[in-house]
Amino acid sequence: MAVDMKGKHLLSISDLTQEEICQIIETALILKFDRQTGRPHELLKGRTLGMIFQKPSLRTRVAFETAMTQLGGHGIYLGPDDIKLGKREKTEDIAIVLSRMVDVIMARVFGHEIVEELARYSLVPVINGLSDFEHPTQILGDLLTIYEKFRKLEGLKLAYVGDGNNVAHSLIYGAALTGMHISVASPSGYEPDSRVVEKAKEFARSTGAEVEITNDPHRAVKGADVVYTDVWASMGQETEAEERKRIFQPYQVNVELFEEAKPTAVFMHCLPAHYGEEVSLDVGRHPRSVIFDQAENRMHSIKSILVHVTR
Ligand code: CP
Ligand code: NVA
């Protein structure tokens, strides 16, 4: 493996260089091909992953656990009622104790500062499995999916339409670091964090990417190769759901809006989707929707991440 990422925490996509992202995609492609052609790898034989979940999950939990099983290791699920993160004992103590037993930790949390604290005290790599601020493993799987569809990333245009949330933040970094142009269309007051946008623009200076933030979904999707959206109310924002439904209505990705992108454009969504809200069902089931490839690619890319940070 050309780039050494052993021992590295993955809390944000911005923790990675362009070279490291390319390496993760390359290894994921190899692991995926070998899995599909029946060549198992026991690269993580005898290794254990500790998975902390403060929030629900289908894809992330199954992808991490299956990745460990397929690579000859083991994943332990620690749900909200198991360790009661932030309630039963200090986060610092959890990080120290867990990392004395397992080889790598994944944590899905509310506040981003919780994964940062886990990483500060952990003796082993900590991977952010979604925080309120970022969702890096999602975007690494998405970059793998985009690469598979277009055989390149550099120079493509990605339109993200919707809430300037955790997924949007990681996408902005991921695009800027890989030379993909990104245009984010959100309602006023729901734009991505300006610190993320500024930092991404810094990355973009060396990769040639363009980072645009707008309130106009039509402007964002014009000429796009990828149209991406996510739920309007994320986990933890349930009380705002009704108000957001009203505010975000003009930002729904329906066939009309999707057709304003390139005729070859693909539709992406990290899932779970709320059909009829941020995306219509016919776009979700469109022949150019790649949402289920994205979901499967979580597993292949997570295998690659686990291998790179532990070996
Ligand atoms: N996309 C994603 O992270 O899905 P889950 O919430 O089901 O893990
Ligand atoms: N923005 C969503 C992503 C779910 C994978 C959330 O945080 O709930």
Side-chain angles (χ1 to χ4, degrees), residues 65-116:
E65 199 165 327
T66 310
M68 286 306 287
T69 306
Q70 289 184 10
L71 292 170
H74 180 64
I76 301 175
Y77 173 78
L78 300 162
D81 287 332
D82 292 315
I83 60 173
K84 296 195 186 294
L85 187 71
K87 293 180 195 138
R88 191 161 172 262
E89 58 189 315
K90 276 170 82 69
T91 304
E92 176 181 336
D93 288 14
I94 293 173
I96 296 168
V97 172
L98 194 55
S99 68
R100 281 185 175 217
M101 298 184 212
V102 304
D103 302 284
V104 51
I105 293 171
M106 187 240 69
R108 166 166 288 198
V109 298
F110 284 100
H112 190 73
E113 67 285 352
I114 302 173
V115 274
E116 289 177 334

Side-chain angles (χ1 to χ4, degrees), residues 224-290:
D225 298 284
V226 179
V227 178
Y228 197 123
T229 190
D230 183 18
V231 290
W232 291 337
S234 287
M235 291 180 273
Q237 296 174 331
E238 289 77 7
T239 56
E240 295 173 36
E242 283 312 308
E243 190 192 356
R244 282 171 174 259
K245 258 188 225 174
R246 195 173 37 75
I247 295 168
F248 281 80
Q249 205 53 57
Y251 294 80
Q252 184 189 68
V253 179
N254 47 37
V255 172
E256 221 180 339
L257 186 65
F258 187 46
E259 280 178 352
E260 291 178 30
K262 279 192 184 160
T264 48
V266 298
F267 171 70
M268 298 182 79
H269 191 309
C270 56
L271 303 180
H274 293 166
Y275 297 112
E277 293 181 25
E278 76 276 4
V279 61
S280 60
L281 184 59
D282 46 8
V283 169
R285 297 291 180 268
H286 193 280
R288 281 184 279 113
S289 166
V290 297

Side-chain angles (χ1 to χ4, degrees), residues 54-74:
Q54 274 193 322
K55 297 174 177 175
S57 170
L58 168 63
R59 281 144 290 269
T60 307
R61 178 188 172 176
V62 178
F64 268 96
E65 199 165 327
T66 310
M68 286 306 287
T69 306
Q70 289 184 10
L71 292 170
H74 180 64

Side-chain angles (χ1 to χ4, degrees), residues 23-242:
Q23 182 71 69
I24 288 168
I25 294 173
E26 201 179 309
T27 306
L29 285 167
I30 295 168
L31 292 170
K32 182 173 179 176
F33 179 79
D34 286 352
R35 165 81 188 157
Q36 288 171 341
T37 51
R39 276 181 290 186
H41 293 286
E42 295 247 297
L43 290 166
L44 298 182
K45 195 172 163 55
R47 311 279 181 108
T48 306
L49 162 74
M51 298 186 287
I52 300 171
F53 280 92
Q54 274 193 322
K55 297 174 177 175
S57 170
L58 168 63
R59 281 144 290 269
T60 307
R61 178 188 172 176
V62 178
F64 268 96
E65 199 165 327
T66 310
M68 286 306 287
T69 306
Q70 289 184 10
L71 292 170
H74 180 64
I76 301 175
Y77 173 78
L78 300 162
D81 287 332
D82 292 315
I83 60 173
K84 296 195 186 294
L85 187 71
K87 293 180 195 138
R88 191 161 172 262
E89 58 189 315
K90 276 170 82 69
T91 304
E92 176 181 336
D93 288 14
I94 293 173
I96 296 168
V97 172
L98 194 55
S99 68
R100 281 185 175 217
M101 298 184 212
V102 304
D103 302 284
V104 51
I105 293 171
M106 187 240 69
R108 166 166 288 198
V109 298
F110 284 100
H112 190 73
E113 67 285 352
I114 302 173
V115 274
E116 289 177 334
E117 194 175 355
L118 286 169
R120 198 173 314 125
Y121 295 103
S122 172
L123 306 165
V124 300
V126 173
I127 301 170
N128 176 3
L130 181 147
S131 69
D132 285 354
F133 204 67
E134 273 211 57
H135 196 1
T137 66
Q138 174 69 49
I139 273 53
L140 289 167
D142 297 342
L143 294 176
L144 167 63
T145 307
I146 298 169
Y147 183 80
E148 280 180 337
K149 303 298 168 196
F150 297 95
R151 303 319 294 183
K152 64 172 184 178
L153 297 174
E154 221 165 325
L156 296 174
K157 178 181 176 184
L158 187 150
Y160 176 92
V161 181
D163 189 23
N165 61 14
N166 44 9
V167 169
H169 290 161
S170 296
L171 265 178
I172 293 169
Y173 282 144
L177 279 163
T178 58
M180 243 193 318
H181 308 308
I182 181 161
S183 183
V184 177
S186 311
S188 176
Y190 294 89
E191 293 95 345
D193 192 299
S194 58
R195 291 166 299 174
V196 172
V197 177
E198 286 320 306
K199 196 164 159 185
K201 283 184 176 168
E202 287 283 315
F203 295 141
R205 265 194 268 284
S206 55
T207 62
E210 286 163 22
V211 180
E212 179 187 62
I213 309 298
T214 172
N215 299 127
D216 181 357
H218 305 282
R219 182 185 166 101
V221 300
K222 192 173 174 353
D225 298 284
V226 179
V227 178
Y228 197 123
T229 190
D230 183 18
V231 290
W232 291 337
S234 287
M235 291 180 273
Q237 296 174 331
E238 289 77 7
T239 56
E240 295 173 36
E242 283 312 308

